[in-house]
Amino acid sequence: MVKVQNKTNLFDRIAWNIVVPVLLLAAVGLYSIYFAAVDDPSHMGSPVKAVAMQGLWYIISVAIVVFVIQFDAEQLYRIAPYVYGLGILLLIAVLFFYNRSIAADAGAKSWFKLGPISFQPSEVMKPAFILMLARVVREHNDKFAHTIKNDWILIGKMLVWLLPIAILLKLQNDFGTMLVFIAIVGGVILVSGISWKIIAPMFAAVFVLGVVVIYMVTTPGGQSILSHFFQPYQFRRIMSWLNPSTDTSKAAYQLWQSMQSIGSGQIFGNGFGKLSVYVPVRGSDMVYSVIGESFGFVGSVAVILLYLYLIVQMVRITFDTKNAFYSYVSTGVIMMILFHVFENIGMSIDLLPLTGIPLPFISQGGSALIGNMIGIGMILSMKFHNKDYMFSQAGDF
């Protein structure tokens, strides 16, 4: 590593093409949370209080981004095992100190309760896992050439680091969050240099497995086998996804109301703050229904395009870096955010089953926001430190 003098001023070192769309999404989030609370004050409380609390989380998240951005690639590489270990300890602790009331409602033992504040440690585990995964891939690729045998060994290493998280999330009954970690691994595999002779059949096998599991959910025998892995409420979610009109008063009520809400917005929406369809948990899981009902198809697509712009800009920064470790980190962050967007919007319109995954930077909640903003901080770090070092080869610090 050769450190060189950075003559670029601080303003130019900030990736504003990342910051601006995140701020716009935050503004959409505050709007959506306010009117979701207006529509459902019994569950969300005062609209002003709901927005103030979310605003506080944004302020905390920005402070965390400013902190994270100070770390360059070498420092992130060094702290990866420590933040991963801390994340594992938090996932273990929540099994003993989880919030009983949330577990009774949601079926998952994945939330701490500290006074009026709830916190989900698996959300901050996501960026910690991304760092560890990037370090594992970087170390392996530095030591071994890409052969079929070595590529399988690399996949095995990645799965070994995923295994403790998978076990702990299973104990928490949090299958939806587990899907995010699987998506992160899948994304990093794609850019890790592993041969397509392995990747193609592996991804095909995962797709076939998903189809088989969905089919088994629809049969009594299949449900009996899968009952060892899934909870009854998870079966109901998949069944309501496959046929939401069968039980619109119970299992499929939330999904059906979300579809009704988004559909009522039609092309241009009903207008600013005009919500007439009740949707449960509207400020968090179903926040996209606020956008759809208020601003219709046009507004809904605009939000999707804003996410697309953010993803594209993150990809551009990834290509600009000469550091392999950074590229693995950014790929993990991109997959984390992309999967959240795809799953949340998909479940709101019945393209995907309900999982309780929030919409990044928009949904109400602090732990998910902090997890995503840590990821943004790591992406911003790439440009912030890009001119501080000269690299003799792709993997050097």
Side-chain angles (χ1 to χ4, degrees):
M1 176 187 72
V2 180
K3 195 164 186 176
V4 298
Q5 184 68 30
N6 185 2
K7 297 181 180 180
T8 308
N9 64 52
L10 182 64
F11 185 87
D12 291 337
R13 293 172 66 190
I14 297 174
W16 294 105
N17 54 342
I18 302 294
V19 173
V20 171
V22 170
L23 292 177
L24 290 175
L25 289 168
V28 173
L30 292 175
Y31 162 84
S32 301
I33 290 168
Y34 179 86
F35 285 105
V38 169
D39 187 53
D40 189 16
S42 61
H43 287 86
M44 296 186 62
S46 163
V48 174
K49 183 179 179 181
V51 170
M53 180 60 71
Q54 190 67 12
L56 177 61
W57 282 119
Y58 282 126
I59 293 171
I60 294 172
S61 298
V62 169
I64 291 174
V65 169
V66 172
F67 174 74
V68 171
I69 203 175
Q70 307 305 316
F71 292 81
D72 61 21
E74 184 177 5
Q75 293 166 329
L76 290 173
Y77 182 89
R78 288 176 177 174
I79 68 172
Y82 302 102
V83 294
Y84 175 88
L86 177 61
I88 292 295
L89 289 177
L90 289 174
L91 290 181
I92 294 173
V94 78
L95 291 172
F96 298 95
F97 304 106
Y98 66 91
N99 183 278
R100 268 58 181 178
S101 61
I102 294 179
D105 292 337
K109 305 173 183 178
S110 54
W111 294 84
F112 285 118
K113 180 73 171 179
L114 303 172
I117 298 175
S118 297
F119 189 78
Q120 190 174 12
S122 59
E123 293 295 342
V124 294
M125 183 71 226
K126 293 170 187 175
F129 176 65
I130 289 170
L131 281 181
M132 194 65 229
L133 202 62
R135 177 178 170 126
V136 168
V137 175
R138 160 70 198 278
E139 285 183 342
H140 178 90
N141 286 343
D142 280 355
K143 294 178 181 178
F144 303 101
H146 280 289
T147 64
I148 297 298
K149 178 182 177 181
N150 289 338
D151 286 352
W152 276 115
I153 292 174
L154 176 55
I155 292 174
K157 290 178 179 178
M158 297 167 74
L159 295 179
V160 164
W161 289 98
L162 177 64
L163 183 61
I165 299 172
I167 293 173
L168 292 169
L169 290 180
K170 168 59 180 172
L171 294 174
Q172 294 177 21
N173 295 327
D174 194 354
F175 180 70
T177 300
M178 185 61 216
L179 292 176
V180 181
F181 285 94
I182 293 173
I184 291 170
V185 172
V188 175
I189 284 177
L190 287 175
V191 300
S192 63
I194 292 174
S195 172
W196 278 95
K197 293 180 181 179
I198 295 176
I199 292 177
M202 183 174 65
F203 276 67
V206 171
F207 175 78
V208 171
L209 177 62
V211 173
V212 171
V213 168
I214 291 173
Y215 173 75
M216 292 176 67
V217 169
T218 64
T219 63
Q223 287 191 14
S224 177
I225 296 172
L226 293 176
S227 62
H228 300 287
F229 307 96
F230 297 102
Q231 298 296 313
Y233 78 91
Q234 292 170 325
F235 289 128
R236 292 193 295 270
R237 284 183 173 182
I238 295 177
M239 293 302 294
S240 65
W241 164 58
L242 294 174
N243 196 348
S245 62
T246 54
D247 188 8
T248 58
S249 63
K250 294 181 181 179
Y253 178 69
Q254 184 184 35
L255 171 59
W256 186 256
Q257 292 299 107
S258 174
M259 293 169 61
Q260 293 289 317
S261 172
I262 294 173
S264 70
Q266 300 185 48
I267 301 298
F268 298 105
N270 297 324
F272 191 85
K274 294 183 178 179
L275 305 178
S276 58
V277 180
Y278 172 74
V279 181
V281 200
R282 193 165 204 168
S284 54
D285 295 353
M286 291 300 179
V287 72
Y288 194 67
S289 67
V290 178
I291 301 166
E293 189 169 352
S294 297
F295 304 113
F297 176 79
V298 173
S300 300
V301 170
V303 169
I304 293 175
L305 291 176
L306 189 56
Y307 278 117
L308 179 61
Y309 176 81
L310 175 62
I311 296 296
V312 169
Q313 297 309 310
M314 289 193 290
V315 170
R316 288 183 62 185
I317 290 181
T318 303
F319 280 117
D320 286 342
T321 184
K322 298 182 179 69
N323 187 286
F325 173 73
Y326 260 149
S327 67
Y328 303 141
V329 170
S330 62
T331 300
V333 173
I334 290 168
M335 287 303 300
M336 175 180 72
I337 294 175
L338 187 61
F339 185 84
H340 275 216
V341 173
F342 182 71
E343 171 59 32
N344 182 276
I345 294 178
M347 73 181 187
S348 298
I349 58 177
D350 197 33
L351 285 180
L352 295 170
L354 293 173
T355 57
I357 290 179
L359 190 59
F361 317 113
I362 292 181
S363 288
Q364 183 185 39
S367 49
L369 179 62
I370 287 176
N372 287 321
M373 290 293 270
I374 291 174
I376 291 296
M378 293 191 295
I379 295 286
L380 292 176
S381 170
M382 296 173 65
K383 181 175 180 180
F384 193 78
H385 296 284
N386 193 39
K387 298 182 183 298
D388 284 343
Y389 300 93
M390 294 188 303
F391 302 89
S392 61
Q393 59 183 12
D396 287 348
F397 288 117

